[in-house]
Amino acid sequence: MPVNRSSPEIAELQPGVTTEPGTRGDVRLVGRRCTACGVRVFPARLRCVSCFSERLERVVLSRLGKVDAFTVVREAPPGYHGPVPYVLGQVVFDNDIVALSHLVGKPVDDWRRGDIVASYVLELPAGSKQVPHRTFAFQPASPQDLAEA
Ligand SMILES: [Zn+2]
């Protein structure tokens, strides 16, 4: 499963999920912060999930997060052309942002709650659509990731 560490351009990976370049070929996820109540959301939304204000500002999120829960997916869902089994995890980062995504970079049975991870762009095989699917994912944080946090 190739992990693309060299996606220097600001990109919308999927609706509401945007990234901006990090300092060394990595990417940072971009969320929104409500200017009325301060709640932050990811992926981006048009309204605050807490007070429904439409006054949301762009906020670049930390690359580092902590695995809060995960499951091993052994049966591929329809339309998925990547390898199985794979790990789907809930990651908490910047204290209050929760994201659900692939956990990659080590064997599926080696993941633990509390693992520290960093965000990356993940390219999944195209299947019949001929266009690879790009999304965000998390890998174990490297010593360099931790040093830059
Ligand atoms: Zn709000």
Side-chain angles (χ1 to χ4, degrees):
M1 191 181 309
V3 174
N4 186 351
R5 291 175 185 245
S6 58
S7 298
E9 295 167 3
I10 295 173
E12 184 170 49
L13 300 176
Q14 50 195 259
V17 178
T18 53
T19 62
E20 81 167 28
T23 54
R24 52 189 172 84
D26 57 327
V27 295
R28 287 180 179 269
L29 300 173
V30 177
R32 297 289 184 271
R33 190 184 78 79
C34 176
T35 60
C37 75
V39 163
R40 296 185 302 170
V41 295
F42 175 82
R45 295 170 186 260
L46 296 177
R47 290 176 186 266
C48 173
V49 295
S50 178
C51 73
F52 305 110
S53 168
E54 294 179 356
R55 297 192 333 251
L56 301 175
E57 66 182 5
R58 191 173 177 281
V59 59
V60 178
L61 304 173
S62 167
R63 286 191 63 230
L64 294 181
K66 185 183 285 190
V67 175
D68 194 39
F70 64 93
T71 189
V72 178
V73 179
R74 299 186 188 280
E75 191 77 27
Y80 175 83
H81 301 283
V84 285
Y86 65 89
V87 179
L88 197 59
Q90 177 173 292
V91 173
V92 178
F93 53 111
D94 282 351
N95 296 319
D96 59 354
I97 303 281
V98 178
L100 187 68
S101 190
H102 284 259
L103 302 182
V104 299
K106 65 179 180 177
V108 296
D109 293 323
D110 290 356
W111 285 96
R112 299 290 178 265
R113 249 187 118 217
D115 282 351
I116 303 298
V117 292
S119 58
Y120 290 95
V121 171
L122 174 66
E123 203 162 278
L124 293 167
S128 59
K129 289 196 294 187
Q130 303 298 320
V131 178
H133 177 67
R134 297 178 79 224
T135 187
F136 67 97
F138 295 92
Q139 287 191 339
S142 70
Q144 195 174 5
D145 291 330
L146 296 171
E148 291 179 1

